[in-house]
């Protein structure tokens, strides 16, 4: 049986590969550019920060920086489309490992309201991180969803 940290690492790697495949396979026939969904910030919460960063760096040729205090001491790397992937440790004892994509939006308040109208629960309302952007988190269907506005 695979250990829990290994399963988490494999899940993170799979999601990273899926995001990369989805962004590289866009065609004019199936996607109108102004309707594209862009993952601006892909957050991986894991107790194995260094191991996850090292694995992603080796597999994808990215470089992770030093921890950024404003982002919960996440180490980040720039993605080919200008977004970022971030890896951080849990911020509290009961925070579970998670992979949370933050989708870029023009109007975060309206996007949050759309999620609420669909039955979502707001976990974190829009909150500005100085020098980084504004984010929000909502829960829908048992999944954490993130929104990001620059």
């Amino acid at each position: 049986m695979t250990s829990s940290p290994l399963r988490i690492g494999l899940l993170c790697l799979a999601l990273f590969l899926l995001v990369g495949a989805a962004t590289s396979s866009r065609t004019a026939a199936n996607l109108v550019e102004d309707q594209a969904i862009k993952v601006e910030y892909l957050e991986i919460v894991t107790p194995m920060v260094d191991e996850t960063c090292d694995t992603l760096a080796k597999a994808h040729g990215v470089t992770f920086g030093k921890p950024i205090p404003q982002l919960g001491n996440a180490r980040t790397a720039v993605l080919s489309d200008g977004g970022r992937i971030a890896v951080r440790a849990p911020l509290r004892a009961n925070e579970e490992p998670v992979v949370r994509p933050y989708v870029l939006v023009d109007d975060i308040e309206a996007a949050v309201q759309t999620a609420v109208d669909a039955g979502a629960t707001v976990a974190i309302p829009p909150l500005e991180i100085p020098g980084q952007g504004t984010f929000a988190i909502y829960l829908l269907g048992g999944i954490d969803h993130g929104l990001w506005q620059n």
Side-chain angles (χ1 to χ4, degrees):
M1 180 165 193
T2 307
S3 69
S4 181
L6 181 56
R7 279 184 284 171
I8 293 167
L10 292 173
L11 175 63
C12 294
L13 183 57
L15 182 59
F16 187 73
L17 292 171
L18 286 173
V19 169
T23 58
S24 66
S25 65
R26 293 180 183 160
T27 65
N30 65 12
L31 180 65
V32 176
E33 187 60 32
D34 64 348
Q35 295 177 349
I37 294 175
K38 181 178 186 250
V39 175
E40 180 68 11
Y41 190 80
L42 181 62
E43 180 178 47
I44 299 171
V45 177
T46 175
M48 299 180 70
V49 173
D50 292 335
E51 297 87 346
T52 301
C53 289
D54 290 346
T55 301
L56 292 171
K58 288 175 185 170
H60 302 287
V62 297
T63 301
F64 284 86
K66 294 183 181 195
I68 300 172
Q70 300 92 327
L71 299 174
N73 286 318
R75 294 179 56 198
T76 66
V78 177
L79 299 172
S80 61
D81 67 354
R84 290 183 288 175
I85 184 168
V87 182
R88 69 168 174 82
L91 295 175
R92 58 188 190 284
N94 65 346
E95 185 174 20
E96 296 290 327
V98 67
V99 176
R100 183 184 300 119
Y102 291 79
V103 177
L104 186 63
V105 296
D106 292 327
D107 183 343
I108 200 164
E109 296 288 343
V112 167
Q113 188 58 54
T114 298
V116 169
D117 292 346
T121 301
V122 177
I124 299 179
L127 179 64
E128 183 179 355
I129 303 173
Q132 302 294 328
T134 301
F135 80 99
I137 298 172
Y138 66 90
L139 310 173
L140 183 62
I143 303 294
D144 284 24
H145 298 267
L147 300 169
W148 197 279
Q149 182 177 329
N150 288 325

